[in-house]
Amino acid sequence: MKVSEIIEKLKGLGFKEDVIKRYNEPHRFYHTQKHICDLISVLSNRQQLTDELFLTAVYHDAVYWPSSATNEEDSADLFVKEAQVAKYPIDKINTIKQWILETKTHTPSSQQSEHFIKADLQIFERPLGDLLDYEMQIFKEFQFVDYLDYKRERIKVLEKFNSNANVAALIEYVKTRKPLIGVFCGSFNPFHRGHYNVLQKAELICDKVIIAFGKNPDKSDRNWPIPQTLKNRQLTEYNGLLTDFLDSLGYDVIVIRGLRNSTDFQYEQNQYRYIQELKPKVKIINIFCDKEFEHISSSGIRTLEKYGKHQNYLLD
């Protein structure tokens, strides 16, 4: 089923289309509109799609933050609130709420709920290529988690669904995979639009990028809040030498450095020589920001802040 068809059916049932827009949130990579379309199509192809299962599909991941432990409860509450506005029958509201809550443990209480849970988990019945794409999407959604923690917990989850050779192969892939992880380091006081421009470019190269806030003894302590835009990324702080921090991670990474101009390049070239002597095998990528950001600096923003003229350079 296409998104436009989902919207029309929602309207036909008295619901607003706002819920489907939630699946376009930037921290979603698997739990997207495509997932909802695929899920509804599976139920339809199996001739199991009812209005109640349709609404369960649309709302079951409506609230989704990978770091939250209450996504199912929050999604169910959102459904109840919007179903009451739509004046949907109360007995059906309670049933759909229950089905949404059951996706937390994948324990169905009825045949219809079982149909939905099987459809929701049908990704594990797909070819290995689809499973590898799925794994990359989940890895992106949980990029705020340190790689070693993610690997350990992800294997535990997948072992619960180890029902065929492809899933077994996926588990071995997760065990042996070495993702390309970058570390974008700096004092970031504040982290501004120019930094974000470099970060976005780095994320096109790397599987994930850790944002490391370092304490520079030659600069003032960071006193600016971390932008909400960075919420779903791995954020960390370190004192001392960058090379010591890299060693503490326990896995190989590449270092990302942002450049605005040739002056920055000369500075980074000198820093690279020191880093290379301390950690000979280190890999560094220098990324120039786009021209529209090359004039932005944290020190400039701090100066503008004194006159209340700094907001246009900050992230939300």
Side-chain angles (χ1 to χ4, degrees), residues 8-224:
E8 287 304 310
K9 187 170 179 63
L10 276 172
K11 290 180 178 179
L13 293 171
F15 289 77
K16 295 181 179 180
E17 65 181 83
D18 293 359
V19 61
I20 203 67
K21 297 177 182 178
R22 289 173 170 265
Y23 291 89
N24 283 331
E25 292 167 334
H27 58 275
R28 296 175 183 256
F29 294 88
Y30 174 72
H31 296 86
T32 61
Q33 289 183 354
K34 182 180 183 303
H35 170 58
I36 301 305
C37 291
D38 289 347
L39 176 52
I40 293 174
S41 294
V42 168
L43 289 168
S44 180
N45 291 338
R46 294 175 180 177
Q47 298 183 336
Q48 297 168 341
L49 185 65
T50 62
D51 288 347
E52 288 68 43
L53 284 183
F54 169 81
L55 289 171
T56 303
V58 170
Y59 277 90
H60 82 291
D61 284 326
V63 180
Y64 180 73
W65 283 101
S67 58
S68 174
T70 61
N71 285 318
E72 293 81 4
E73 292 85 349
D74 295 338
S75 294
D77 289 343
L78 176 67
F79 166 73
V80 171
K81 179 180 177 180
E82 297 193 356
Q84 289 172 341
V85 173
K87 297 182 179 181
Y88 206 65
I90 186 63
D91 58 327
K92 294 183 178 180
I93 290 177
N94 292 332
T95 297
I96 295 170
K97 176 183 178 181
Q98 180 63 31
W99 291 349
I100 293 173
L101 292 174
E102 287 170 1
T103 62
K104 192 179 189 76
T105 60
H106 303 109
T107 304
S109 61
S110 67
Q111 186 178 47
Q112 287 235 75
S113 178
E114 184 177 6
H115 290 331
F116 180 80
I117 289 173
K118 285 183 177 179
D120 194 29
L121 297 177
Q122 53 84 33
I123 181 64
F124 295 112
E125 304 302 322
R126 291 187 179 180
L128 182 58
D130 291 347
L131 286 174
L132 294 178
D133 289 340
Y134 160 70
E135 174 57 30
M136 286 301 301
Q137 293 162 353
I138 296 298
F139 182 78
K140 281 285 190 181
E141 288 187 344
F142 283 85
Q143 62 182 290
F144 64 93
V145 179
D146 185 75
Y147 166 62
L148 295 180
D149 294 332
Y150 171 84
K151 179 179 178 179
R152 181 182 64 252
E153 296 303 318
R154 183 63 175 154
I155 291 171
K156 289 181 182 178
V157 170
L158 290 175
E159 285 177 341
K160 296 178 182 178
F161 302 103
N162 188 3
S163 58
N164 58 57
N166 287 336
V167 177
L170 178 62
I171 293 172
E172 288 304 309
Y173 170 77
V174 174
K175 287 179 179 179
T176 58
R177 178 188 178 220
K178 293 183 178 180
L180 182 60
I181 299 176
V183 172
F184 186 25
C185 50
S187 53
F188 302 134
N189 187 31
F191 194 103
H192 53 65
R193 292 185 181 276
H195 293 138
Y196 189 61
N197 180 247
V198 172
L199 174 63
Q200 288 179 304
K201 292 181 178 183
E203 289 177 335
L204 294 175
I205 300 170
C206 303
D207 295 316
K208 71 174 280 185
V209 177
I210 301 168
I211 303 172
F213 294 83
K215 184 175 181 180
N216 189 330
D218 296 328
K219 297 183 180 181
S220 57
D221 290 343
R222 181 171 58 85
N223 51 16
W224 291 71

Side-chain angles (χ1 to χ4, degrees), residues 269-282:
Q269 188 177 39
N270 290 334
Q271 291 299 306
Y272 175 63
R273 299 308 175 201
Y274 286 116
I275 294 172
Q276 197 175 39
E277 289 179 358
L278 293 169
K279 193 175 177 64
K281 294 184 179 180
V282 69

